[in-house]
Amino acid sequence: MSWRFILMIIISISWIPILIFFVTNINSKLISQVQITISKPWTLVTRNNVRLSRLYKKYNLLLNLTAFKTNHLSNKTIIYSCTSFCGGWGDRLRGITSAYILALLTDRHFMIDMNYPCDILKVVEPNFVNWTYVKHNKSKNRTRLYINTMPSWQKAYRNNISNMIKSNDFVKVWSSYDDIIISANSDYMTPALHNIYMLNKTQQLLGQIPISQATTQIFVAFLFELLFKPSIAVRNRVDSILINSRHRHLICLHIRIGKNPTNPLDVAFTARENTTKSMIDFVDNYLLNKSSSLIFVTSDSSQAVSDILRHYPNSSMSIVGPILHIDRFDRRSPTICDGFVKVIADFYLLGECQTLLLSTSGFSSWANLRRENPNEELYHYNEKLGKIKKLIT
Ligand SMILES: *[C@@H]1O[C@H](CO)[C@@H](O)[C@H](O)[C@H]1NC(C)=O
Ligand SMILES: *[C@@H]1O[C@H](CO)[C@@H](O)[C@H](O)[C@H]1NC(C)=O
Ligand SMILES: *[C@@H]1O[C@H](CO)[C@@H](O)[C@H](O)[C@H]1NC(C)=O
Ligand SMILES: *[C@@H]1O[C@H](CO)[C@@H](O)[C@H](O)[C@H]1NC(C)=O
Ligand SMILES: *[C@@H]1O[C@H](CO)[C@@H](O)[C@H](O)[C@H]1NC(C)=O
Ligand SMILES: *[C@@H]1O[C@H](CO)[C@@H](O)[C@H](O)[C@H]1NC(C)=O
Ligand SMILES: *[C@@H]1O[C@H](CO)[C@@H](O)[C@H](O)[C@H]1NC(C)=O
Ligand SMILES: *[C@@H]1O[C@H](CO)[C@@H](O)[C@H](O)[C@H]1NC(C)=O
Ligand SMILES: *[C@@H]1O[C@H](CO)[C@@H](O)[C@H](O)[C@H]1NC(C)=O
Ligand SMILES: *[C@@H]1O[C@H](CO)[C@@H](O)[C@H](O)[C@H]1NC(C)=O
């Protein structure tokens, strides 16, 4: 194939989602004008409010929520930084929540510096914690500590940092630095909260929850809501699905198969090649007994999405838009920001599913934790067995 031909294909393919995007956008604008006067209990905003009040009821008497909502006005900072390779959305959420807990424990102002693959504000905005990144004036000569523990860095260094967070007085060790810039995808939340030097501070945060029970699993759903609310672009995308799923049982499939023609720069997971077929068989045999079910699919493969949409022509949907791995993408693509919006819209939508079928992925396991009942109706493609199994967590 000549390069001209390849270029032509790339250009023509990349326009399709843009066109469809505009058409659906016009539709949702019309819809919102028509329904402007009646309340909309089905929208993402309403559902997030309901979710937040449910989490408040659950945690209000247990955790010290005031402490969690605090973003210290100290002129010292901890900054979560993601300006190049920092993993997918699951990795980033692990890094962000870890950095946030470290900021709380060290009484530092917390900020998020993320412009990769494009500005984080395109997809989420600060909710209760204002983490807006403000660049410090270089001439102020602030002292900076850069902590990068992404897997590409030396193991000895990464272990050193984990040990420090687990069992050293990191408040003291870091005290001479004005800004601590963290790039990480590890979970430092649990070890930091169990650190013996942080005992007083941790007890202030945890309130009634014994430190021994302070695991990441308990907080993440709540921390996510404290930190983030969806941008308008994300809300519009999610609402375009939710409006059709009112009064219906939403069965969601996350099909992550790794390197494939849609996602050529990703890692290959050969054991996952039959995920789509297994999920279809499972849904047909065990789940699809409710005529009111609606199937939502998200995948890193456009083939997988179209297989699902074709198999369920009258009862399946996906969010239209370019498929992008937010860490492994073609930098020349003109639709990167639009792809980022779709990824986060998919993430929010997976939090609204009554039934969820997952691939092995941080993305969908985080999404699952946002569901009303994270442990119910949860299934997983088991690569070793080549089968869907119920997950009992
Ligand atoms: C940071 O705040 C302290 C007191 O709150 C102040 O003494 C110090 O000058 C401030 N440093 C900078 C760089 O603004
Ligand atoms: C959040 O912080 C930024 C930077 O300090 C500020 O410009 C913005 O007004 C703040 N937002 C709110 C809602 O307080
Ligand atoms: C940075 O600080 C210097 C000296 O205090 C000042 O002249 C300059 O305008 C500041 N720059 C910005 C972008 O605030
Ligand atoms: C900036 O800090 C360095 C190291 O602490 C010091 O050597 C240098 O003199 C400082 N420069 C200014 C302009 O304060
Ligand atoms: C580990 O960190 C300590 C200080 O926190 C430092 O003195 C030591 O050199 C580090 N070791 C390695 C292997 O990086
Ligand atoms: C923790 O609190 C106790 C009692 O209030 C106090 O005696 C102790 O010094 C504190 N420890 C630290 C590390 O601040
Ligand atoms: C809750 O957190 C706030 C802010 O950090 C603190 O002032 C207060 O003492 C804490 N409450 C309890 C009961 O520990
Ligand atoms: C996928 O299914 C095909 C046909 O049933 C089979 O030959 C192949 O071994 C399967 N692949 C994996 C990784 O299980
Ligand atoms: C119908 O589906 C639900 C799960 O959605 C399952 O619990 C139930 O056993 C199914 N019933 C039949 C008859 O298959
Ligand atoms: C989908 O809907 C069309 C039109 O209502 C109908 O003719 C067709 O049989 C349906 N297909 C399936 C698989 O239910």
Side-chain angles (χ1 to χ4, degrees), residues 2-256:
S2 80
W3 64 270
R4 265 173 219 275
F5 184 57
I6 296 173
L7 197 69
M8 214 175 71
I9 292 180
I10 293 172
I11 290 172
S12 57
I13 290 176
S14 59
W15 271 100
I16 295 169
I18 298 178
L19 289 176
I20 297 175
F21 172 64
F22 279 123
V23 173
T24 48
N25 233 15
I26 290 166
N27 272 340
S28 60
K29 271 198 194 112
L30 285 180
I31 289 163
S32 59
Q33 274 165 13
V34 172
Q35 302 203 330
I36 205 109
T37 51
I38 52 174
S39 69
K40 295 182 232 172
W42 49 270
T43 60
L44 184 61
V45 168
T46 312
R47 289 182 184 214
N48 279 350
N49 289 339
V50 170
R51 171 183 277 104
L52 196 62
S53 74
R54 190 179 67 238
L55 290 168
Y56 252 101
K57 274 199 195 114
K58 184 167 164 193
Y59 288 120
N60 189 25
L61 297 172
L62 297 173
L63 296 170
N64 183 350
L65 293 183
T66 319
F68 274 97
K69 276 187 184 177
T70 302
N71 198 4
H72 298 275
L73 292 172
S74 153
N75 55 17
K76 291 193 167 182
T77 66
I78 282 189
I79 301 163
Y80 169 82
S81 166
C82 171
T83 54
S84 73
F85 300 105
C86 23
W89 188 238
D91 293 278
R92 297 183 192 194
L93 290 179
R94 231 178 289 122
I96 288 170
T97 48
S98 292
Y100 180 56
I101 291 291
L102 291 173
L104 289 177
L105 291 173
T106 54
D107 291 333
R108 286 165 177 266
H109 185 68
F110 175 65
M111 300 195 280
I112 298 177
D113 175 17
M114 187 191 293
N115 56 22
Y116 179 83
C118 71
D119 188 355
I120 187 175
L121 293 173
K122 289 255 194 299
V123 296
V124 288
E125 292 164 8
N127 203 7
F128 290 97
V129 177
N130 189 355
W131 42 258
T132 308
Y133 179 59
V134 182
K135 235 192 177 111
H136 278 108
N137 190 330
K138 280 242 155 62
S139 66
K140 285 277 194 293
N141 204 14
R142 293 171 68 88
T143 50
R144 292 186 172 85
L145 173 64
Y146 290 90
I147 297 178
N148 188 334
T149 58
M150 290 303 290
S152 52
W153 290 73
Q154 279 196 343
K155 203 166 171 149
Y157 172 74
R158 279 159 41 215
N159 287 343
N160 193 334
I161 298 293
S162 339
N163 286 336
M164 155 121 80
I165 290 172
K166 192 171 150 209
S167 43
N168 286 6
D169 186 351
F170 54 80
V171 173
K172 201 161 150 204
V173 174
W174 293 341
S175 62
S176 62
Y177 296 99
D178 293 317
D179 302 315
I180 298 169
I181 295 113
I182 300 182
S183 297
N185 67 349
S186 301
D187 173 13
Y188 294 131
M189 208 192 294
T190 309
L193 291 170
H194 288 239
N195 184 320
I196 196 85
Y197 291 97
M198 303 300 139
L199 208 57
N200 287 355
K201 197 74 199 167
T202 303
Q203 255 154 12
Q204 222 183 66
L205 281 171
L206 293 181
Q208 304 291 312
I209 294 187
I211 290 175
S212 60
Q213 284 175 29
T215 58
T216 309
Q217 203 81 352
I218 302 186
F219 308 116
V220 287
F222 196 67
L223 282 189
F224 183 87
E225 303 312 310
L226 288 186
L227 289 169
F228 300 120
K229 63 181 178 203
S231 70
I232 288 174
V234 165
R235 276 156 46 191
N236 286 342
R237 296 294 190 85
V238 177
D239 285 349
S240 70
I241 301 285
L242 289 179
I243 191 170
N244 289 299
S245 73
R246 282 171 299 168
H247 316 301
R248 298 181 78 172
H249 184 98
L250 198 55
I251 298 174
C252 301
L253 317 180
H254 177 226
I255 306 176
R256 166 110 171 84

